[in-house]
Amino acid sequence: MSSSQIKNTRYKSNTGQTRWATVEEIQRSATRVNLSDPVYPTGGIPVMSDGYTAYLDGRDTHTLIFGATGSKKTRIFCMPTINMFIRAGESFVVTDPKAELYVRTAGFAKQNGYKVVVLNFRDIGYGDMWDPLALPYEYYRTGRKDEANNLINDLAATLSARQKENSTDLLYPLMAETLLTANMYLLFEAAAAENAVNMRSLTALCSQSSLESLKTLAGKMSSQNTIGMLFKGTLLGENEKTISSIMSVLYGMVSIFNLNKRLTDMLCHNTFDIRLFGHEKTAVYIIVPDEKTTCHFLVTMFIKQVYEILIGEAQRQARLALPIRVNFVLDEFCNIPKIPDMPSMISAARSRNMRFYLVAQSIHQLKGRYGEDADTIKGNCDNWIFLTSRERDLLNEISFLCGEIDAWGPGGAEKRRLISVTELQRFNKEKGECLILHGREYPFITYMADIDQYPDFANYQVVPIPPIEIPHVPTFDVVKFTTKFAFVQDGVPFAQPD
């Protein structure tokens, strides 16, 4: 790689507190790869690349990419990085609003022996199917109840998040979340015999028509049992007006499943096993419309479940880390609902062989979604990449982080920023000009190659997303179950056999 790939004029020595990094310093800090090689020693985001040779950050570090709409974040970072994961044999999970990452990289992944998974919330009926209840139920049934409980709580928290955000009184959303959790446990205990543990059954339990049956069950169940305790706390200890309000909020949490039957059917089956993402080369594309937010909560739900399940898989390994690294490339990170526990997730992921690449438009957007947690998320990202912005807070923070140098002004010696806010706004988009704060190195500015400037990533095969046949599933009939209700064993309901 020619050193002209980085702006040499920015590497003059300074006697102040900071300076620009040299080409040699950045090259020493990263892994050099010849992009025509069939296999790379590691995957990672390029911190220098001319399309023929790249220097990658292959460490267990997280990356934050800032760039306004149209700044080519996807073309100069996301697409090349995914292709580099493939050459290194690393798994990845990517959010792909326009399906452009799938079009550009899925064929390449297939050619390299990857299992390709597509969660297609834009065109239901094409891609794969995912049942959010399948693994929690399997863990619950096989005695791994602590893991099941964590997954159940995550699902309930994600489904209730929208109601909490839009409510001035959190009482009803919290009680509705408790009832939603109780309904999931009831399915695990009572619907198994009918093979009806699925999202369609859960939606039916959350409807007004199920209320009287649930109240009847609650009255017969022991408060020493988890299900009984949850039911009694929401359905028996409140007046009718309160219960009606709780049910109204609960219905709102699952309303999309009532309105979009095809989506619900898609979420009642599995065509892949999340546990294998860290054991087999897997490429996961989450295609979700960016022009409407209806299905965005499902992206949050999926990412959270994948993470929790992979943490469990890592804990079972001798090294307490996944055999194959899993990379999360979350484009439009701040446009999906808040991921619960994201600060702790990003802190714990490194040692488990997982990395996050978070793509955001602005700091305001990040803080708007994560509040005070935004600072923790930023602090856990060793790489910051800046493309362009008009946001004053972001420009000031990048300028501040680059530090100050000694300079001479009209009044003599003075301090000034290494790079000003004005300079940050003038980067050349067509040349892929960007500023990178890489690990503990000094800052540097470089030109990054566009995906079309990578000859070895050009001859990809476009793989059409295959159609799927969504089979019918049985729905748990709580009214019928209550009618047949015979006895309670250890506080758990059982029905009278036919």
Side-chain angles (χ1 to χ4, degrees), residues 140 145 185 189 217-233 236 488-493:
Y140 187 87
K145 293 195 174 182
Y185 282 122
E189 292 287 357
L217 286 173
K220 295 182 178 181
M221 296 176 69
S222 168
S223 58
Q224 302 302 312
N225 171 264
T226 300
I227 307 175
M229 178 183 65
L230 295 174
F231 274 141
K232 288 178 184 294
L236 298 185
V488 172
Q489 178 178 322
D490 297 328
V492 178

Side-chain angles (χ1 to χ4, degrees), residues 344-412:
S344 60
M345 287 171 58
I346 202 168
S347 299
R350 300 182 186 206
S351 61
R352 271 73 169 200
N353 212 15
M354 289 186 279
R355 291 186 298 191
F356 283 92
Y357 297 83
L358 310 178
V359 184
Q361 294 181 21
S362 67
I363 281 181
H364 174 76
Q365 191 186 50
L366 184 63
K367 289 183 176 178
R369 181 63 71 197
Y370 285 93
E372 294 180 357
D373 289 339
D375 288 332
T376 304
I377 293 170
K378 290 189 298 178
N380 276 285
C381 293
D382 278 6
N383 295 321
W384 285 35
I385 297 172
F386 173 83
L387 292 156
T388 185
S389 177
R390 284 286 190 266
E391 185 197 26
R392 184 170 59 184
D393 288 347
L394 176 58
L395 292 167
N396 275 325
E397 183 156 0
I398 296 293
S399 177
F400 173 79
L401 289 175
C402 288
E404 295 181 326
I405 59 172
D406 293 327
W408 286 93

Side-chain angles (χ1 to χ4, degrees), residues 417-468:
R417 296 279 177 89
L418 182 62
I419 186 168
S420 70
V421 166
T422 301
E423 289 178 286
L424 285 170
Q425 296 179 76
R426 299 176 62 191
F427 284 179
N428 190 319
K429 170 184 171 181
E430 299 310 315
K431 291 184 177 181
E433 188 175 10
C434 59
L435 185 149
I436 300 180
L437 299 167
H438 167 53
R440 299 186 180 185
E441 302 298 326
Y442 287 107
F444 67 103
I445 293 176
T446 184
Y447 298 120
M448 297 296 294
D450 180 272
I451 186 64
D452 287 339
Q453 295 174 296
Y454 288 79
D456 292 287
F457 297 153
N459 298 319
Y460 58 88
Q461 176 186 1
V462 179
V463 180
I465 301 175
I468 51 176

Side-chain angles (χ1 to χ4, degrees), residues 28-42:
R28 285 197 300 268
S29 70
T31 301
R32 183 183 186 277
V33 294
N34 183 340
L35 294 171
S36 63
D37 289 344
V39 178
Y40 299 164
T42 185

Side-chain angles (χ1 to χ4, degrees), residues 119 154 245 255:
L119 274 188
D154 286 340
S245 298
S255 60

